[in-house]
Amino acid sequence: MAIAETAMLIVQAGGNEAGRRWPLQHGRTVIGRDIDCDIVLPDRLVSRHHAYVVWDLVNDREGYVVEDLRSKNGTFVNGQEVTEPRLLEDGDEIQIALRFKLAFVDAGETAPLTFDLPDAVERLRLMEETRQVIVKDQMVDPPLSPAQFRLLALLIASQGNVVGREEIVRQVWPEALEEGVSEQAIDALVRRLRERLNEIDPSHQYIVTVRGHGFRFENAPPWSAR
């Protein structure tokens, strides 16, 4: 462990970016998909200019503040959507588009050398570029359908948070928002995805139904057989 000389953001989860860290200055630090951003997160769910962090004054308190830039898929702090400038506290978790999680480490606080990523990252890995899925070191073959892959990526990015049906439709079937998608279609997609994962790892149910709310991705316990 080391004491952070300056405040920083550390990617805790999100594709190949996990573990990267960026020191923060008092000026504006823009987060987004575009290459002109200070923190570039290359993912289609991230808006070109998604959010920013800046030193500012909020409710008579001075510190680093995060604000969403009218992004399509939202910015969240500790699971709550950012709808106005929000003052950050050491250890806060910034979630970008349900895809990336960035930990805020304040200056003078202890910064981890590495983050312990969830066990599921090792047990189940997504290959974004090729859209392949590896479960317990075995590739899912034939590959998941595009809808199955998008659903799995969305659930994993939620890192244990419940994903509602409306959000699933918005991310998996964006072209069908106006017409709507039936609950039966969502349930069928979830059921088929479970079946595909169970073909390789029947010892654990990765996708859990939370009645009345939606679905969440559940990490396999670390003592499970690999």
Side-chain angles (χ1 to χ4, degrees):
M1 300 294 182
I3 301 299
E5 297 181 359
T6 183
M8 66 178 67
L9 292 177
I10 306 176
V11 180
Q12 186 176 6
N16 296 327
E17 303 300 311
R20 290 194 62 182
R21 55 189 66 198
W22 288 270
L24 296 173
Q25 307 301 326
H26 281 199
R28 198 186 225 208
T29 299
V30 179
I31 305 168
R33 190 180 73 243
D34 202 289
I35 59 173
D36 67 0
C37 293
D38 301 291
I39 298 177
V40 179
L41 301 178
D43 191 280
R44 63 182 180 81
L45 297 182
V46 178
S47 296
R48 291 179 62 251
H49 299 96
H50 197 103
Y52 69 85
V53 176
V54 67
W55 183 271
D56 206 346
L57 186 69
V58 175
N59 297 328
D60 297 325
R61 292 182 59 197
E62 200 172 32
Y64 284 99
V65 173
V66 62
E67 184 168 359
D68 184 75
L69 289 172
R70 297 182 179 179
S71 66
K72 179 180 178 181
N73 295 312
T75 303
F76 304 81
V77 173
N78 301 332
Q80 298 181 342
E81 186 170 9
V82 176
T83 57
E84 58 185 19
R86 171 160 177 164
L87 191 68
L88 292 170
E89 305 283 351
D90 179 61
D92 277 350
E93 181 181 82
I94 303 172
Q95 192 173 19
I96 301 293
L98 298 175
R99 183 66 182 89
F100 294 88
K101 284 192 172 185
L102 292 81
F104 171 71
V105 179
D106 209 348
E109 301 295 336
T110 302
L113 296 176
T114 59
F115 271 100
D116 294 326
L117 299 178
D119 182 64
V121 172
E122 298 178 358
R123 291 180 62 89
L124 191 156
R125 293 185 289 122
L126 299 185
M127 314 293 285
E128 291 285 352
E129 294 184 358
T130 59
R131 292 191 172 277
Q132 293 173 322
V133 178
I134 298 175
V135 179
K136 296 178 67 175
D137 297 324
Q138 182 176 337
M139 187 175 298
V140 176
D141 188 33
L144 298 180
S145 70
Q148 292 168 358
F149 187 90
R150 287 194 293 267
L151 174 59
L152 182 59
L154 173 63
L155 292 173
I156 290 178
S158 73
Q159 293 295 311
N161 296 321
V162 176
V163 179
R165 293 173 180 270
E166 183 177 344
E167 181 62 24
I168 289 175
V169 174
R170 189 155 66 99
Q171 299 295 341
V172 177
W173 294 287
E175 71 284 353
L177 278 175
E178 293 185 4
E179 296 83 1
V181 175
S182 69
E183 291 193 3
Q184 290 81 3
I186 297 173
D187 290 338
L189 179 64
V190 171
R191 181 174 63 253
R192 183 54 182 151
L193 178 56
R194 281 185 179 135
E195 291 172 352
R196 295 302 312 280
L197 300 180
N198 286 344
E199 290 171 3
I200 298 177
D201 187 7
S203 65
H204 181 74
Q205 182 170 296
Y206 289 95
I207 303 173
V208 176
T209 300
V210 182
R211 294 190 180 278
H213 297 280
F215 306 92
R216 74 168 187 268
F217 187 87
E218 187 170 285
N219 294 347
W223 56 83
S224 294
R226 291 177 180 263

